[in-house]
Amino acid sequence: MKKLHLLGFVLLASFFTTSSFTMVEERLISNTILIKIFSHTVAEDIEAQNFKSIGTIDTQTGEVVFSVPMQSFEFEKALMQKHFNNNKFLDTKQFPKAKLVGKITNLSAIHFDKDGTYPAQITGELTMKDKTNTIREKGSINVKGKNIFVDSKFSVVLAEYGIAFTSGKPSTNINKSIDINVHAEFKQN
């Protein structure tokens, strides 16, 4: 009888290891993230890139977390980078990170185990400069084999995060809202 149970266990184990049965990792982590910011005014365009962010997605619960080191934004002009980091703008020494903690609200429509592009809706809390606001944004999740690509584009009103200029050059050179583009690559083992 024991041999029969052992044989059944071996057959079951070999089925799961040789079949096309696949499991999706529950928690995906990425440090292959590009975040771009862009501001357009008549005076000038301002753009920067950040390659140092970290993100996680829980494929079972839909929970997402992105942590963005603010001093890692790279600008074309050194003066723009200096202004961005100083205490009159983002004060990145005192507030070194921005963070998004949210959830994919249409998780049942996304198949992390099947190739395809899926629209994603995310609701969460975005914190910058110690100010937190609720956001509801759209994006896409593209599954290609074991690679998962997340893309989103949204705008942030600077005054909602304590960043506002009423006079001087910044008030005319920086748009009241900035565009943020996120491209993240996650790999499953």
Side-chain angles (χ1 to χ4, degrees), residues 131-180:
K131 305 273 190 250
T132 301
N133 290 295
T134 299
I135 64 165
R136 288 174 184 80
E137 300 298 339
K138 295 179 181 179
S140 67
I141 295 176
N142 187 354
V143 179
K144 290 184 181 178
K146 294 195 176 278
N147 298 315
I148 296 172
F149 304 95
V150 175
D151 290 285
S152 183
K153 180 179 181 178
F154 57 97
S155 293
V156 170
V157 177
L158 294 176
E160 292 177 356
Y161 295 92
I163 306 163
F165 298 102
T166 56
S167 63
K169 199 172 183 180
S171 67
T172 57
N173 287 18
I174 300 171
N175 200 323
K176 304 297 181 213
S177 66
I178 58 168
D179 295 328
I180 300 175

Side-chain angles (χ1 to χ4, degrees), residues 22-25 28 57 59-60 104 106-120 140-149 188:
T22 59
M23 288 185 59
V24 175
E25 281 184 59
L28 305 174
I57 298 175
T59 61
Q60 302 301 308
I104 301 170
N106 65 328
L107 186 63
S108 63
I110 299 167
H111 305 283
F112 290 98
D113 59 346
K114 183 179 177 186
D115 285 4
T117 301
Y118 306 97
S140 67
I141 295 176
N142 187 354
V143 179
K144 290 184 181 178
K146 294 195 176 278
N147 298 315
I148 296 172
F149 304 95
Q188 299 182 69

Side-chain angles (χ1 to χ4, degrees), residues 5-64:
H5 285 295
L6 182 61
L7 179 62
F9 177 74
V10 170
L11 287 174
L12 187 61
S14 67
F15 169 76
F16 282 114
T17 57
T18 61
S19 72
S20 62
F21 178 78
T22 59
M23 288 185 59
V24 175
E25 281 184 59
E26 189 171 309
R27 187 168 179 225
L28 305 174
I29 301 171
S30 176
N31 63 357
T32 309
I33 299 172
L34 169 60
I35 297 178
K36 292 182 181 181
I37 58 174
F38 180 76
S39 165
H40 171 76
T41 64
V42 175
E44 67 183 330
D45 288 342
I46 299 171
E47 56 187 309
Q49 300 179 346
N50 183 321
F51 297 93
K52 304 285 184 183
S53 301
I54 296 174
T56 64
I57 298 175
D58 187 312
T59 61
Q60 302 301 308
T61 66
E63 292 176 9
V64 296

Side-chain angles (χ1 to χ4, degrees), residues 54-115:
I54 296 174
T56 64
I57 298 175
D58 187 312
T59 61
Q60 302 301 308
T61 66
E63 292 176 9
V64 296
V65 176
F66 281 85
S67 178
V68 182
M70 298 305 282
Q71 290 184 354
S72 295
F73 278 98
E74 300 170 5
F75 292 77
E76 185 178 319
K77 298 177 184 174
L79 187 57
M80 286 180 185
Q81 191 155 348
K82 182 179 176 182
H83 288 161
F84 178 84
N85 289 311
N86 79 27
N87 61 356
K88 293 181 182 176
F89 197 67
L90 281 167
D91 197 1
T92 59
K93 284 187 181 178
Q94 184 173 351
F95 308 106
K97 292 187 180 189
K99 190 170 188 177
L100 168 68
V101 177
K103 193 165 193 160
I104 301 170
T105 58
N106 65 328
L107 186 63
S108 63
I110 299 167
H111 305 283
F112 290 98
D113 59 346
K114 183 179 177 186
D115 285 4

